[in-house]
């Protein structure tokens, strides 16, 4: 199986920054996309950002465009999420996602709390 482990979450003041990491291990394959989703209390899980295998194509939700940056290091099977100018609306559990052979794999999530 594929395992995804997120790290880097925590408490940050509004306007601050956090950097999340997600490491994939186990039975991984080349040419898979990775991304991030988030879920706030009382809300459905929503797409945040994704990145292609090569890193040449990225996608961002409008709510985070210009503030968040996704990147990856395929030698480490790791995807990163740099989050800047955080607001209270960014408070959520952030889940790492990998789409491998048309199947979605999820991490357990890491809590990001932005104080106002």
């Amino acid at each position: 199986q594929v395992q995804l482990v997120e790290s880097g979450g925590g408490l940050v003041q509004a306007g601050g920054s956090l950097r999340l990491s997600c490491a994939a291990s186990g039975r991984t394959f080349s040419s898979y996309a990775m991304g991030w989703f988030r879920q706030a209390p009382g809300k459905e899980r929503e797409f945040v950002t994704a990145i292609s295998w090569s890193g040449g194509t990225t996608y961002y939700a409008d709510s985070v465009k210009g503030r968040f940056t996704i990147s990856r290091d395929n030698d480490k099977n790791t995807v990163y999420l740099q989050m800047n100018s955080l607001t209270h609306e960014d408070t959520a559990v952030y889940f790492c996602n990998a789409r491998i052979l048309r199947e979605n794999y999820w991490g357990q999530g890491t809590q990001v709390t932005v104080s106002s």
Side-chain angles (χ1 to χ4, degrees):
Q1 291 185 336
V2 176
Q3 295 84 42
L4 303 176
V5 180
E6 303 98 335
S7 62
L11 176 66
V12 64
Q13 294 182 346
S17 299
L18 281 176
R19 183 174 183 257
L20 306 183
S21 299
C22 173
S25 62
R27 192 163 175 255
T28 59
F29 300 86
S30 62
S31 192
Y32 60 92
M34 298 187 71
W36 294 90
F37 290 68
R38 68 186 182 185
Q39 187 168 19
K43 300 179 66 177
E44 295 185 351
R45 187 175 300 184
E46 66 173 341
F47 170 80
V48 177
T49 181
I51 187 169
S52 63
W53 166 258
S54 68
T57 304
T58 56
Y59 305 88
Y60 295 95
D62 288 340
S63 60
V64 306
K65 190 174 297 183
R67 300 187 299 118
F68 290 11
T69 303
I70 188 171
S71 61
R72 69 188 298 165
D73 183 344
N74 289 338
D75 289 337
K76 299 179 179 179
N77 286 324
T78 299
V79 65
Y80 305 93
L81 180 61
Q82 179 67 45
M83 305 184 294
N84 298 327
S85 301
L86 287 163
T87 73
H88 178 71
E89 299 299 317
D90 297 314
T91 296
V93 177
Y94 283 71
F95 296 91
C96 180
N97 167 261
R99 188 159 181 82
I100 305 172
L101 300 179
R102 297 181 292 181
E103 287 198 29
N104 280 307
Y105 297 85
W106 299 92
Q108 293 184 348
T110 184
Q111 177 71 49
V112 172
T113 302
V114 184
S115 62
S116 60

